[in-house]
Amino acid sequence: MSIISVQNIKKSFSDGVSVLNGISFEVNEGQVLGIIGPSGSGKSTLLRCICQLEKIDSGTIQICGENLVKDGKYSDKDSLRTIALKLGFVFQNFNLFPHYSVLKNVVDPQVSVLKIPHKTAVENARHILARMGLSEKENSYPCELSGGQQQRVSIARALALKPMVLLFDEPTSALDPELTGEILEVIRQLAKEKMTMIVVTHEMAFARDISDELIFMENGVVESRGNPYELINNPQSSRMKDFLKRFNEK
């Protein structure tokens, strides 16, 4: 079953710069789609369009069979809100509330967005924080955590809203190399649990190993796509060969 369907979407910024130039793909239930490419290729903008943080100019986006936008025309506000609840977004820079404790960062979105009782939200939060290995940090504040711990709180917050799909925008880009592994392991575990995900990453080995399908973006288009091992270990296009040269020489 197709959970996300993106068809020929285009997006330009107000200065006229075209950032997405006819992107199309589908993500099926339980699938992990990896997206790689150079800076400025449109990867993050693509995720932001799917999550309604940016608007597209034309094209169609369907989430769980519902039209977010069809032929450039967006659905009504109630439909957009319902669709938004199906998606969880994990940002590069965590986006935690610095004046909230770890527990409150995970509890409050459940109460305000899902409208569930505070007691239930606390129980849910503690269960998810335990999964993230953060039970002992629930009373800590973001400034007291390592970057890896902050990102795990961000993932816990997204999971607490029970999304159908998780979208990761370079989740390790703000981390020191030694902290990157713990976040990649969390995402690997989610993949084993068949969580549907779109992962934008600059970690090539990780993208190869975790993805069911891999997309290489360049200048706002899908330049290459297919089996992750074939694309990364044996790239066919000259542009992708250049992009992966340093990785494949390791």
Side-chain angles (χ1 to χ4, degrees):
M1 172 185 174
S2 176
I3 297 294
I4 293 182
S5 176
V6 172
Q7 301 298 325
N8 197 33
I9 67 170
K10 297 180 180 180
K11 163 75 177 176
S12 296
F13 290 130
S14 57
D15 58 5
V17 174
S18 180
V19 62
L20 299 177
N21 299 298
I23 300 286
S24 298
F25 63 83
E26 292 191 351
V27 183
N28 294 323
E29 185 174 7
Q31 183 181 27
V32 178
L33 175 68
I35 302 179
I36 61 173
S39 297
S41 60
K43 306 184 301 297
S44 294
T45 300
L46 173 60
L47 292 192
R48 292 176 65 84
C49 288
I50 293 172
C51 285
Q52 303 182 43
L53 298 174
E54 299 278 359
K55 284 193 172 183
I56 65 172
D57 300 322
S58 62
T60 297
I61 301 174
Q62 287 186 331
I63 311 293
C64 300
E66 300 178 56
N67 287 324
L68 168 65
V69 51
K70 184 174 183 180
D71 298 328
K73 182 178 180 181
Y74 279 80
S75 296
D76 61 84
K77 289 184 178 180
D78 287 342
S79 296
L80 294 179
R81 183 181 182 279
T82 298
I83 291 170
L85 291 175
K86 300 179 186 298
L87 303 171
F89 195 99
V90 178
F91 296 86
Q92 295 181 26
N93 295 311
F94 323 136
N95 279 32
L96 300 175
F97 290 107
H99 56 294
Y100 285 2
S101 68
V102 165
L103 186 64
K104 188 173 175 63
N105 262 287
V106 182
V107 167
D108 275 23
Q110 299 178 70
V111 175
S112 61
V113 176
L114 299 184
K115 311 298 182 185
I116 66 176
H118 185 269
K119 181 180 179 180
T120 302
V122 170
E123 292 173 353
N124 291 341
R126 285 179 169 152
H127 174 71
I128 296 169
L129 288 172
R131 287 179 60 192
M132 297 292 115
L134 293 169
S135 293
E136 296 181 357
K137 298 293 184 179
E138 68 170 53
N139 294 318
S140 299
Y141 288 83
C143 65
E144 300 173 315
L145 305 178
S146 69
Q149 289 170 334
Q150 290 184 60
Q151 191 61 292
R152 279 186 278 155
V153 175
S154 180
I155 295 171
R157 179 182 57 187
L159 287 172
L161 296 178
K162 300 180 180 179
M164 296 288 291
V165 185
L166 275 181
L167 293 89
F168 292 87
D169 185 11
E170 298 192 7
T172 62
S173 65
L175 302 179
D176 294 334
E178 63 184 17
L179 298 176
T180 294
E182 64 185 72
I183 299 305
L184 300 185
E185 185 54 39
V186 168
I187 301 174
R188 284 192 182 95
Q189 184 57 45
L190 291 171
K192 290 178 182 177
E193 297 169 7
K194 295 300 180 181
M195 183 77 199
T196 308
M197 295 185 283
I198 300 178
V199 182
V200 168
T201 181
H202 58 272
E203 301 285 342
M204 295 301 106
F206 175 69
R208 178 192 62 197
D209 295 342
I210 197 175
S211 303
D212 296 296
E213 183 178 20
L214 191 65
I215 282 176
F216 172 63
M217 287 183 62
E218 170 81 349
N219 295 325
V221 301
V222 175
E223 200 274 347
S224 298
R225 69 188 306 165
N227 179 279
Y229 279 84
E230 292 178 2
L231 281 184
I232 289 183
N233 291 346
N234 187 29
Q236 297 300 304
S237 75
S238 58
R239 180 63 189 96
M240 194 165 181
K241 286 179 181 178
D242 289 341
F243 178 74
L244 293 170
K245 187 176 181 180
R246 279 183 292 177
F247 172 75
N248 285 334
E249 285 176 348
K250 294 180 180 179

